[in-house]
């Protein structure tokens, strides 16, 4: 089995285990390789061959065994800011709860304790908005969604976040 076949086998088994989205460092670890420039070139070569897809800078998925498309964007968020608290809020959460009539089709709005940023992925745009608030000020207003394995804001918190970020509140139903 050559190196590319080994990579595909590892990715296929990770999808079966609920994974499917990996950083280059994780892929190097799973293949017992060092994350060197040569390994990065190996990943780029596999992207060019169509075996891998770069979903974001430094984050990959297999094209042969892709992750579940309904949860892939949430997995990408966790890879982008996995070391800090993130939760679905703002327009994405208010659309999810029906508090705004607009349905966000191609954008996920997330509040993060990490850096802000906007990331274009094959699954949609991820908009990360940093909050300076201490976690104890909003933790009671979050709940864990086991389907996406991420926290979500309750309606009051999502509205408070919308106002704190000076976003459009005219779309609220009530």
């Amino acid at each position: 089995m050559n190196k590319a076949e080994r990579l595909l086998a590892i990715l296929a088994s990770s999808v079966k285990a609920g994974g499917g989205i990996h950083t280059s460092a994780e892929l190097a670890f799973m293949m017992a390789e060092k994350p060197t420039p040569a390994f990065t070139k190996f990943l780029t070569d596999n992207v060019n061959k169509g075996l891998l897809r770069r979903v974001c800078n430094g984050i990959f998925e297999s094209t042969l065994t892709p992750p579940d498309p309904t949860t892939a964007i949430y997995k990408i968020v966790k890879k982008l800011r996995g070391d800090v608290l993130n939760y679905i809020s703002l327009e994405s959460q208010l659309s999810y709860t029906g508090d705004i009539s607009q349905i966000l089709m191609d954008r996920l709005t997330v509040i993060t304790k990490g850096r802000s940023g906007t990331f274009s992925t094959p699954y949609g745009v991820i908009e990360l908005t940093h909050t300076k608030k201490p976690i104890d000020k909003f933790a009671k207003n979050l709940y864990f969604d086991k389907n996406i394995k991420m926290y979500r804001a309750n309606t009051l918190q999502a509205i408070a976040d919308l106002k704190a970020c000076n976003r459009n509140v005219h779309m609220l139903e009530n």
Side-chain angles (χ1 to χ4, degrees):
M1 180 182 293
N2 70 27
K3 194 172 177 179
E5 290 169 340
R6 243 179 53 229
L7 173 65
L8 292 177
I10 287 167
L11 288 168
S13 64
S14 79
V15 169
K16 290 177 191 169
I21 302 287
H22 302 284
T23 65
S24 54
E26 290 170 338
L27 292 172
F29 176 79
M30 290 189 290
M31 293 188 67
E33 302 263 341
K34 293 194 184 316
T36 62
F39 187 76
T40 302
K41 184 182 179 326
F42 165 73
L43 294 177
T44 301
D45 290 345
N46 281 292
V47 168
N48 293 336
K49 290 177 189 172
L51 299 175
L52 281 180
R53 178 162 70 165
R54 184 177 284 112
V55 294
C56 212
N57 191 21
I59 301 174
F60 301 88
E61 70 179 0
S62 168
T63 56
L64 302 176
T65 55
D68 178 359
T70 61
T71 59
I73 197 164
Y74 306 108
K75 292 175 184 177
I76 296 169
V77 170
K78 290 184 270 186
K79 297 300 177 183
L80 288 168
R81 299 288 187 274
D83 57 340
V84 295
L85 175 68
N86 304 295
Y87 63 93
I88 310 300
S89 189
L90 304 166
E91 295 89 354
S92 290
Q93 183 62 12
L94 294 169
S95 175
Y96 178 78
T97 59
D99 291 297
I100 59 174
S101 58
Q102 294 85 350
I103 298 173
L104 297 182
M105 300 298 286
D106 64 344
R107 183 167 290 263
L108 180 66
T109 54
V110 178
I111 298 291
T112 182
K113 288 300 287 176
R115 285 180 297 134
S116 294
T118 303
F119 302 88
S120 183
T121 77
Y123 300 100
V125 175
I126 298 169
E127 183 180 346
L128 299 167
T129 303
H130 174 76
T131 182
K132 292 181 181 178
K133 292 180 187 173
I135 294 172
D136 63 341
K137 296 287 185 200
F138 58 82
K140 66 184 180 300
N141 296 325
L142 305 182
Y143 65 95
F144 190 75
D145 184 337
K146 63 181 182 193
N147 295 322
I148 63 170
K149 295 178 178 63
M150 274 190 77
Y151 285 99
R152 289 184 175 274
N154 66 21
T155 300
L156 293 176
Q157 184 63 48
I159 292 170
D161 290 338
L162 203 65
K163 290 176 181 176
C165 294
N166 294 318
R167 304 279 274 248
N168 182 2
V169 293
H170 294 95
M171 66 181 97
L172 292 169
E173 295 292 312
N174 296 329

